Amino acid sequence: MDLRSTGLRLDSEARLGWWLVVEGQDGPDRLVAGPFEDRAGAGWAAAARDEDDEPVRPVYGVRRPDGGLHRRPSPQELAWLGHLGDQLDRLPEAWDAGLADDDPLATLLVEVTAALAEAGLPLWDATGPDGALGGVCLSAEPALDGVVVGWRQHDRMSVEQLHGTDTDSAVQQVMNVALADVLWLRGFEVDALGGGASGSVVRCAA
């Protein structure tokens, strides 16, 4: 094996892992170091480069025989996609009834779900075993040209009313405002639906 001063391992074996690449402006990306076992290792190597070095970014993939990089989904990305799929499976079975496969509302709903999942906010598992736990309620609404977003509290708050109707209403309002703020920060257009406890309609930003 040949290990150059750049930190780029060269041998006949295809190596899958994290690499530091200089992204090509007019050509292919150029590998400058790797492979690293994890993204953190690649990040440390990038931070150790001189200030005058070309900017690099960590990319997961396998080195091609020609020295280029064939990008692959990282284990973290695959785990994220699995988590996102699990969240989408919580939607009602007929949530997309009446929507074409390429309807922008379907794409918007997936993007909203992803933004909420990245913030650590789960969808409400309406028909699943965790339905009592609450979560975010989403509904694609063609008449509003957007996705309606609202919060459902745990059954102890929303159904059993253990802390009273005033507390239930106040917490509901706080959570709906929080959802609206998160989605606005992520670049969506967000409009309130009537009262503070009613949720919001979310659209793609113009």
Side-chain angles (χ1 to χ4, degrees), residues 72-87:
R72 299 275 182 83
S74 70
Q76 294 87 347
E77 185 67 16
L78 292 174
W80 158 249
L81 292 174
H83 174 65
L84 179 59
D86 290 342
Q87 291 299 300

Side-chain angles (χ1 to χ4, degrees), residues 49-71:
R49 288 170 59 83
D50 294 335
E51 293 183 1
D52 296 334
D53 288 341
E54 295 176 282
V56 296
R57 66 185 299 263
V59 176
Y60 192 80
V62 61
R63 181 172 58 83
R64 300 194 306 262
D66 64 3
L69 184 69
H70 181 63
R71 300 191 181 205

Side-chain angles (χ1 to χ4, degrees), residues 169-200:
S169 178
V171 171
Q172 185 70 20
Q173 182 171 346
V174 167
M175 292 303 300
N176 279 329
V177 170
L179 290 177
D181 286 346
V182 167
L183 293 171
W184 177 79
L185 285 169
R186 288 297 308 272
F188 296 97
E189 178 184 317
V190 182
D191 295 312
L193 276 176
S198 301
S200 304

Side-chain angles (χ1 to χ4, degrees), residues 141-161:
E141 298 293 341
L144 296 174
D145 191 30
V147 172
V148 172
V149 180
W151 184 257
R152 187 189 190 282
Q153 301 174 67
H154 195 287
D155 276 1
R156 287 171 59 86
M157 292 285 286
S158 60
V159 177
E160 299 171 27
Q161 297 279 312

Side-chain angles (χ1 to χ4, degrees), residues 11-162:
D11 54 28
S12 59
E13 180 184 356
R15 289 184 172 273
L16 182 65
W18 287 95
W19 302 78
L20 293 183
V21 303
V22 175
E23 294 189 312
Q25 299 296 321
D26 301 312
D29 298 343
R30 188 174 81 255
L31 278 64
V32 297
F36 302 92
E37 292 185 1
D38 52 40
R39 188 184 183 100
W44 279 109
R49 288 170 59 83
D50 294 335
E51 293 183 1
D52 296 334
D53 288 341
E54 295 176 282
V56 296
R57 66 185 299 263
V59 176
Y60 192 80
V62 61
R63 181 172 58 83
R64 300 194 306 262
D66 64 3
L69 184 69
H70 181 63
R71 300 191 181 205
R72 299 275 182 83
S74 70
Q76 294 87 347
E77 185 67 16
L78 292 174
W80 158 249
L81 292 174
H83 174 65
L84 179 59
D86 290 342
Q87 291 299 300
L88 292 170
D89 286 343
R90 295 184 171 199
L91 293 168
E93 186 173 348
W95 73 267
D96 56 350
L99 297 180
D101 291 340
D102 58 350
D103 194 303
L105 277 185
T107 301
L108 175 61
L109 188 141
V110 174
E111 292 174 348
V112 168
T113 301
L116 294 169
E118 287 172 340
L121 296 164
L123 295 195
W124 178 38
D125 191 10
T127 59
D130 294 329
L133 303 182
V136 184
C137 303
L138 298 182
S139 176
E141 298 293 341
L144 296 174
D145 191 30
V147 172
V148 172
V149 180
W151 184 257
R152 187 189 190 282
Q153 301 174 67
H154 195 287
D155 276 1
R156 287 171 59 86
M157 292 285 286
S158 60
V159 177
E160 299 171 27
Q161 297 279 312
L162 290 182

